[in-house]
Amino acid sequence: MNRREFIYLSAATLASRSPKLHGATKSKPIGLQMYTVRDLAEKDLAHVLSAVAKIGYKEVELYWNLYSRPAGELRKMLDDHGLRAPSGHVDYNGFETKLDYARTLGFEYVVCPMLPEQMWNSLDGYKRAAQQFNTWGEMAKKLGMRFAFHNHNYEFKRLGDITGFELIVKETDPELVWLELDCYWLTQAGRDPVEELKRYAGRARMVHSKDRKPGFPASQVKDAAAEHFTEVGTGTINWKAVIATANKIGVEHFFVEQDSTERPPLESIAISYRNLRRLV
């Protein structure tokens, strides 16, 4: 940890103890999607978990490259740092092979973060995904977990008179398939995250939080030209409205996630934590 990161970690610790903005609802724990700090975590996971906890995060959402450790060992590392993992991302291919692993880690939600790219541009691809999601949802339920799908922007491309995302929601069982709505990717797709939370109020149970720089066009193509990430509270998304709506509809978990950062990652997640803590 360099001096700059130490300063931000110290500031974030103070922020975690500061009063919330007027009108905010009962405090919920703020989580971090560990993909945000993947380069550091894959070198020294224990150090990163310690830093994440010192910032004030109480929950983490895990991702595929961390699953090389035995599940019991990984869970103990989280316990040792006062962290819990209510959710984790698992690759579409081979998804079902990780369900027992996810249960050992104590996941409440096991999440498919993205469809294989060859499925992005056809209704048939989304129909096949929906069928698969129903199956995985049933499998997860039998193990005491819930299945969820995480959006990007490509699912909101119109394919005739419907979008891929709409088709997935239409073709899946609301008792088996839940949603993790990513506010950045909704905004990048040209959608209002507040309205999407309202639209999917019965199924949205987790929110991904990263902000969007101003001055860029919306798109439904997931490529480098769609990446305008910045820390929560430093961009264009109306987080006060997002959080108020999320709390109203029963969202259970808020995860900071930033696919790439211009600042050192620990500094970045400290800024997002500080700003989000004032609202959640």
Side-chain angles (χ1 to χ4, degrees), residues 109-110 130-142 145-149 172-179 203:
Y109 291 90
V110 56
Q131 292 170 359
Q132 186 65 79
F133 288 175
N134 283 326
T135 299
W136 289 338
E138 186 64 46
M139 294 172 70
K141 185 177 181 179
K142 288 179 180 178
M145 300 180 291
R146 287 177 167 182
F147 171 85
F149 177 60
T172 52
D173 185 337
E175 295 300 317
L176 296 177
V177 178
W178 303 84
L179 300 174
R203 300 180 74 170

Side-chain angles (χ1 to χ4, degrees), residues 78-148:
L78 297 175
D79 291 343
D80 288 346
H81 292 92
L83 296 166
R84 63 186 294 267
S87 176
H89 284 192
V90 176
D91 283 335
Y92 185 95
N93 293 321
F95 188 93
E96 63 276 5
T97 67
K98 289 295 185 183
L99 290 176
D100 285 331
Y101 187 94
R103 179 174 62 172
T104 301
L105 284 168
F107 288 178
E108 298 168 13
Y109 291 90
V110 56
V111 183
C112 176
M114 184 183 296
L115 300 183
E117 191 169 354
Q118 63 268 26
M119 302 174 76
W120 293 3
N121 294 307
S122 72
L123 290 177
D124 179 67
Y126 287 102
K127 287 179 180 177
R128 286 187 286 116
Q131 292 170 359
Q132 186 65 79
F133 288 175
N134 283 326
T135 299
W136 289 338
E138 186 64 46
M139 294 172 70
K141 185 177 181 179
K142 288 179 180 178
L143 293 173
M145 300 180 291
R146 287 177 167 182
F147 171 85

Side-chain angles (χ1 to χ4, degrees), residues 28-34 49 52-53 57-62 74-88 105-109 206 252-255:
K28 287 187 173 72
I30 295 174
L32 174 71
Q33 168 48 261
M34 291 291 290
L49 292 175
V52 167
Y57 288 97
K58 301 300 182 184
E59 298 181 342
V60 292
E61 185 175 52
L62 304 180
L74 182 53
R75 184 164 184 170
K76 184 178 185 303
M77 291 182 74
L78 297 175
D79 291 343
D80 288 346
H81 292 92
L83 296 166
R84 63 186 294 267
S87 176
L105 284 168
F107 288 178
E108 298 168 13
Y109 291 90
M206 295 177 287
E252 299 168 5
H253 301 286
F254 297 90
F255 295 109

Side-chain angles (χ1 to χ4, degrees), residues 150-151 180-189 191-194 197 206-212 237-239 242-243 246 254-255 257:
H150 167 278
N151 70 279
E180 180 174 61
L181 294 182
D182 187 303
C183 293
Y184 173 89
W185 287 114
L186 288 171
T187 306
Q188 180 59 30
R191 302 301 179 108
D192 180 346
V194 172
L197 283 164
M206 295 177 287
V207 165
H208 266 199
S209 305
K210 55 178 169 282
D211 223 325
R212 185 173 182 273
I237 295 175
N238 182 350
W239 290 105
V242 166
I243 299 304
F254 297 90
F255 295 109
E257 184 217 32

Side-chain angles (χ1 to χ4, degrees), residues 31-42 45 48-49 52 59-67 87-89 91 113-114 150 152 180 182 185 208 210 222 227 229 255-261 265-266 269:
L32 174 71
Q33 168 48 261
M34 291 291 290
Y35 184 78
T36 310
V37 292
R38 58 195 176 278
D39 291 340
L40 298 174
E42 290 168 29
L45 181 58
V48 173
L49 292 175
V52 167
E59 298 181 342
V60 292
E61 185 175 52
L62 304 180
Y63 71 99
W64 50 95
N65 278 1
L66 297 180
Y67 303 148
S87 176
H89 284 192
D91 283 335
M114 184 183 296
H150 167 278
H152 287 82
E180 180 174 61
D182 187 303
W185 287 114
H208 266 199
K210 55 178 169 282
K222 188 182 183 304
E227 298 180 353
F229 312 127
F255 295 109
V256 168
E257 184 217 32
Q258 193 166 324
D259 306 44
S260 60
T261 64
L266 293 178
I269 66 171

